[in-house]
Amino acid sequence: QVRLVESGGGLVQAGGSLRLSCAASGRSFNNYAMGWFRQAPGKEREFVAQISRSGADTKYTDSVKGRFTISRDHNKNMVLLQMNSLKPEDTAVYFCAGYPGASIAVTTIPTYWGQGTQVTVSS
């Protein structure tokens, strides 16, 4: 029903920036809230950011507030994560996620997931 494909990961030095993209298939993209999660080696998957169906409301985990920005482009069926002032602790596999349900919270488990893209921040 839904396919999510991430791109834009790579290697960057501390203090640098990366922009991750998530392309969504299908015609139901505008009905989904979208999010980004990440998983570092030896750690559980962590919530990073979330954006509402309209794009008007966003939420972030405390560790990325002021540095990361989530956005979406309804015409392109795409969600973006702009990451600035990157730190070595941001190193992880980043996953795009979709929430088809209504009234979601940051604790809501997404239904759809991308394959992940590696972000590595060197010190």
Side-chain angles (χ1 to χ4, degrees), residues 73-86:
D73 187 327
H74 292 99
N75 292 330
K76 295 182 178 180
N77 285 3
M78 187 175 296
V79 61
L80 291 306
L81 185 68
Q82 178 66 47
M83 305 184 295
N84 298 326
S85 301
L86 283 162

Side-chain angles (χ1 to χ4, degrees), residues 2-4 6 22 24 29 31-37 50-51 53 72 79 95-101 104 108-114:
V2 176
R3 185 186 181 194
L4 305 176
E6 303 97 332
C22 175
F29 174 73
N31 293 326
Y32 297 163
M34 300 292 292
W36 288 94
F37 290 71
Q50 188 179 85
I51 188 166
R53 290 167 172 80
R72 67 191 302 162
V79 61
F95 298 89
C96 179
Y99 309 78
I104 65 163
T108 302
I109 300 174
T111 300
Y112 301 106
W113 297 88

Side-chain angles (χ1 to χ4, degrees), residues 27-90:
R27 300 173 62 183
S28 299
F29 174 73
N30 291 343
N31 293 326
Y32 297 163
M34 300 292 292
W36 288 94
F37 290 71
R38 65 187 181 186
Q39 187 167 21
K43 294 186 177 181
E44 295 184 352
R45 190 168 296 186
E46 173 192 23
F47 168 79
V48 176
Q50 188 179 85
I51 188 166
S52 65
R53 290 167 172 80
S54 68
D57 300 319
T58 58
K59 296 183 176 67
Y60 302 89
T61 191
D62 287 344
S63 63
V64 307
K65 287 181 179 178
R67 300 189 297 120
F68 291 10
T69 303
I70 188 171
S71 61
R72 67 191 302 162
D73 187 327
H74 292 99
N75 292 330
K76 295 182 178 180
N77 285 3
M78 187 175 296
V79 61
L80 291 306
L81 185 68
Q82 178 66 47
M83 305 184 295
N84 298 326
S85 301
L86 283 162
K87 304 174 181 179
E89 50 263 45
D90 295 318

